[in-house]
Amino acid sequence: MEEKLTDIFAIDVFNDAKMAERLPKKTYAALKKTIENGEDLDSGVAEIVANAMKDWAIDRGATHYTHWFQPMTGITAEKHDSFISPTSDGKIIMEFSGKELVKGEPDASSFPSGGLRATFEARGYTAWDCTSPAFLRETSAGVTLCIPTAFCSYTGEALDMKTPLLRSMEAISKQAVRICRLFGNEDVNKVTTSVGPEQEYFLVDKAKYLKRDDLIFTGRTLFGAMPPKGQEMDDHYYGSLTERVASFMGELNTELWKMGVAAKTQHNEAAPAQHELAPIFTTGNIATDHNQLIMECMKKVANRHGLACLLHEKPFAGVNGSGKHNNWSLLTNTGKNLLEPGKTPHENIQFLLFFAAVLQAVDEHPELLRISASNPGNDHRLGGNEAPPAIISVYVGSQLEDVLNQLIETGEARSCKDGGRFNVGVHTIPEFKKDAADRNRTSPFAFTGNKFEFRMVASSMSVAMTNTVLNTIVADVLKDMADELESADNFDLAVHDLIKKSCTDHNRIVFNGNGYSEEWVKEANKRGLPNIRTMVDAIPALTTDKTIELFGKHHVFNSNELHSRSEVLYESYSKTINIEARTMIYMTNQQYIPAVIKYTRCLADSINSIKQALPDANVEVQKELLQETLNFLSQAELANKELLIQVSVAVSKKDGVERATYFKDMVIPAMNNLRVIIDSLELIVDKELWPVPTYGELLFEI
Ligand code: ADP
Ligand code: MG
């Protein structure tokens, strides 16, 4: 297995090793300069790279290539072209030019642009992102060479998730390098972000999935009463895998490994039918690409095993939903993790500065982190008793909290708490050194040893925006710090003052307690930390003057690009809730009400036939049930009509903000109302007559 894995890992990636092997030395060196230092790519070089890439791809069976990009839909897009080119003698040759590698021209008008592109000015370009390696993907259609690209409009505005991410990586590198140089690290000339996104997901039986229109149309169950058992036994988390799930995971790993995705950890998660996959971290934009591949691959492989993979944040009410943990750190080109505290964090001034910069950035821009993790699905999670609360705070652990407190009180940290030895009291179990801090699962933003873990991200979302925000807000703080330190007379003194001031001013963001508790909500309010409960409430933060200035200063988004994103978000919110509401109405009319009517007829028939056979028989139970069912039935009918009315009002609103707000304030409560009634009916109607698989069947029978 060991050997096989090393053979197949990245076999389908045109990575550094393959480039070194297949490119002329000079071309390879030139391309490396572009990849590593961002130098312009010469068209002659592109021509040679394209040819080598094509030859490699064809050797591995490829017939097509595609520019693979990430429009603002949050999923990836591609259009396939074959390599064939006709010759004058009626045959074909396989061709792929430098131009085709570097630039594509999809019709930009069919992707969400938030007003950046009108249908009559449709030109958009995809441009090769040579920092993320090209790879091969196999489907029933054959093998395709996928070229990761950025997607921009004719005027150069970003129409995708990746362009701003790449820009933000440049921004943070620039500022972090300045700081490293101030500490005498002259050999540092680039700092990249390392990202490891942990992905949670559910698996359900495909045949049952296909019987639920809500799962098909919206990715979540819109109805469903809780089964007698939920997740209260804690018997699924880390539980042993069923054969079916294990074979799914095995195949998924192999597919991912071939594409160079370093899938590492897999286990059952807290909720029944919930699982997690974590890859080994890699460079920010590659990790973002890989996360998209992971999600796509999960769906595809699940299908082959008669399963459906649900990436929705809250596929089932009443049990945990899914999130994505964005582990993030800063790595220099010399291989140093800038968030590694070492054994004596209190003496590691460079670490403390970077650490303080992240705390400050989070405290200055919590609203931006919040919106970067917002989608309609995550509204069901954040603030519920499972996922992080909607309030952003940072967990730093007891060791660093102690260091921070010393810094705040005296301006200097003289000591640091050690983790100590760990002894379980059994001689045959070896003693080992404890971590310096315990874990805190309730914190939305936690320092976990040598990286920060942002836990709010929605499971189905791209991590691009989250990292774009994180990179930019930290870059901004680092810029101010570098400005100040570069002009200081006494660097040592200045850096101490700076760390002390930053930690003191932003200490309110540090919270090591239970983030799920009611007290924390009150305490956070006192501290002035925002508690933004819904996506619609979070969107305005994208277009404030403060935000426009921030992103403008670091050339990550211009004002138009920010406004377009805000527009896309309002629109996608309204569309999502509209689809959900319409699915509910449809299911109620087409499935639930007819089933309930059937049941009432059964009851009535039973009463009548018993009475006929035995005039004195007691049919009170049936009568009561019939009455109760009829009551719910009329309530359901009313609630369904009300929902239809609310949806019609919502869609009639012309203004995007007003429309989304109406969906949130009026349509969602009407949906909840209808759901409660149907779920009550589910618990009294004959199971044989219930038209869709129940929660029990979906969650426990796989
Ligand atoms: P846990 O569930 O305990 O948080 P996992 O092992 O499931 O831990 O996931 C941790 C993730 O953090 C992995 O993807 C891992 O590669 C990533 N990670 C570890 N170190 C770093 C780092 N320096 N920068 C970014 N990500 C990291
Ligand atoms: Mg994990």
Side-chain angles (χ1 to χ4, degrees), residues 463-501:
V463 293
M465 186 61 178
T466 280
N467 286 293
T468 303
V469 165
L470 202 46
N471 298 344
T472 311
I473 62 177
V474 177
D476 191 53
V477 176
L478 292 175
K479 178 184 184 299
D480 289 347
M481 289 179 161
D483 287 349
E484 192 170 329
L485 293 175
E486 277 168 358
S487 63
D489 296 331
N490 183 332
F491 175 74
D492 287 342
L493 217 64
V495 80
H496 267 97
D497 287 350
L498 193 61
I499 294 173
K500 178 180 177 193
K501 183 166 171 3

Side-chain angles (χ1 to χ4, degrees), residues 27 63 81 294 354 359 697:
T27 312
T63 52
D81 281 295
I294 289 173
F354 278 104
L359 295 191
E697 290 165 321

Side-chain angles (χ1 to χ4, degrees), residues 559-590:
S559 171
N560 283 344
E561 289 169 329
L562 284 168
H563 279 98
S564 76
R565 269 141 193 92
S566 132
E567 199 174 301
V568 168
L569 288 175
Y570 281 120
E571 219 173 276
S572 86
Y573 182 88
S574 296
K575 284 180 181 163
T576 304
I577 309 298
N578 185 36
I579 294 170
E580 289 187 348
R582 287 190 182 280
T583 304
M584 288 186 93
I585 295 167
Y586 170 82
M587 287 175 78
T588 304
N589 283 335
Q590 308 289 315

Side-chain angles (χ1 to χ4, degrees), residues 591-641:
Q591 300 186 306
Y592 293 125
I593 289 186
V596 174
I597 289 176
K598 246 187 229 160
Y599 182 56
T600 54
R601 205 177 50 219
C602 281
L603 289 167
D605 287 351
S606 155
I607 296 167
N608 289 339
S609 46
I610 293 173
K611 274 288 177 198
Q612 225 167 44
L614 206 62
D616 294 334
N618 181 346
V619 287
E620 279 315 301
V621 174
Q622 287 93 323
K623 279 188 173 170
E624 256 173 50
L625 256 178
L626 180 56
Q627 193 55 59
E628 194 184 3
T629 310
L630 286 170
N631 289 346
F632 278 127
L633 183 62
S634 62
Q635 284 177 34
E637 177 63 15
L638 269 180
N640 204 31
K641 285 224 169 81

Side-chain angles (χ1 to χ4, degrees), residues 13 23 111 161 195 372 475 536 539 561 593 619 643 667 673:
V13 187
L23 292 174
F111 296 101
M161 316 286 286
V195 173
S372 83
V536 174
I539 302 173
E561 289 169 329
I593 289 186
V619 287
L643 179 56
V667 176
N673 189 25

Side-chain angles (χ1 to χ4, degrees), residues 10 22 194 211 426 633 637 668:
R22 288 183 173 255
S194 54
K211 290 190 182 138
V426 178
L633 183 62
E637 177 63 15
I668 289 184

